[in-house]
Amino acid sequence: MSEIDASVAHPARRYNYWLGGKDHYAADRESGDQLEKMFPKVRLGALANRALLRRATRFLAAEAGLRQFLDIGTGLPTADNTHEVAQSVAPESRVVYVDNDPMVMVHARALLTSSPEGRTAYIEADLKNPDAILADRATRATLDFDQPIALMLIAVLHFVPGNGAARPIVRELLDALPPGSYLVATHATSDFGTLEQQRLYQQLIDEGKTDVWTRTKDEFGDLFDGLELVAPGIVPASEWRPEPGATIPERSDINVWTAVGRKP
């Protein structure tokens, strides 16, 4: 296991900070506060993203009937993790968690315990190396690649910089999954910002001051080529099958695209 570097902000720990968790360092809080100063609603987007994970997982387990989940970019454990939601519907559900932060793995092994009927496994690996994730012994021992699998890419693809850079990674992962599998993805976007906000954020990217590479709706939609989109299609996280009576924020407060697609 690699060592934890507390001096450099890490997305998983910064996300934990925004969600009100306790597993973060000064560098993570400083990074989170800096982004929140420029984009005051970024914490609201993080919360909407987490709520989407719960709803999408419940849909997959209860309505789509999936019992296997490959969750890449897990983040630090909070309430209602993927296996907890899935196993509340189907206790036999199996989940493989993947993250590249050693702190995540430490906490995952301690806190993400499966139901007796199901199973969870944890891999320290990087999304940018999908072959290693797919070939890992824990992945193969936990998931049956002859049966449908839900590929969960929640708020992780925007850490793959470069126009078009995320698509081949997603394609390699999907190509390994059988028909009937699903892709769930969320992704930061600048589509809803003002021109001034978009300019400011592009400047941060150009100066290397942010690790989040935003993508447009069109580029995000390209990740789902060949898949059957589940209604309501590509929408902000807060608008994907919201709970009855839920308050829907302004899109410019969320800035996260969401979609769920089925592999035919």
Side-chain angles (χ1 to χ4, degrees), residues 13-29:
R13 300 195 300 263
R14 184 177 59 218
Y15 188 48
N16 180 263
Y17 171 57
W18 283 335
L19 293 176
K22 300 178 180 179
D23 301 307
H24 40 74
Y25 296 113
D28 308 307
R29 295 189 290 274

Side-chain angles (χ1 to χ4, degrees), residues 82-99:
T82 301
H83 78 283
E84 293 171 323
V85 177
Q87 290 179 353
S88 72
V89 175
E92 69 274 21
S93 297
R94 296 180 166 220
V95 180
V96 172
Y97 289 109
V98 183
D99 207 289

Side-chain angles (χ1 to χ4, degrees), residues 82-147:
T82 301
H83 78 283
E84 293 171 323
V85 177
Q87 290 179 353
S88 72
V89 175
E92 69 274 21
S93 297
R94 296 180 166 220
V95 180
V96 172
Y97 289 109
V98 183
D99 207 289
N100 66 348
D101 180 6
M103 180 185 272
V104 171
M105 292 299 99
V106 169
H107 285 267
R109 292 192 173 101
L111 299 176
L112 298 182
T113 54
S114 173
S115 68
E117 302 92 334
R119 186 169 179 179
T120 56
Y122 324 99
I123 301 170
E124 187 179 331
D126 197 308
L127 171 66
K128 297 172 187 175
N129 188 2
D131 184 63
I133 295 171
L134 294 168
D136 192 282
R137 285 183 295 178
T139 303
R140 293 291 167 172
T142 306
L143 303 178
D144 179 357
F145 279 73
D146 290 327
Q147 298 297 322

Side-chain angles (χ1 to χ4, degrees), residues 175-186:
D175 285 348
L177 306 184
S181 295
Y182 281 76
L183 167 64
V184 181
T186 67

Side-chain angles (χ1 to χ4, degrees), residues 218-263:
D218 286 345
E219 188 177 358
F220 177 70
D222 286 345
L223 303 175
F224 290 82
D225 278 356
L227 302 184
E228 300 165 349
L229 284 178
V230 174
I234 301 173
V235 293
S238 53
E239 297 177 29
W240 197 90
R241 301 195 173 200
E243 301 290 351
T247 299
I248 306 300
E250 293 291 331
R251 292 187 166 192
S252 57
D253 291 345
I254 300 302
N255 295 304
V256 176
W257 284 122
T258 297
V260 178
R262 181 183 181 274
K263 182 175 179 178

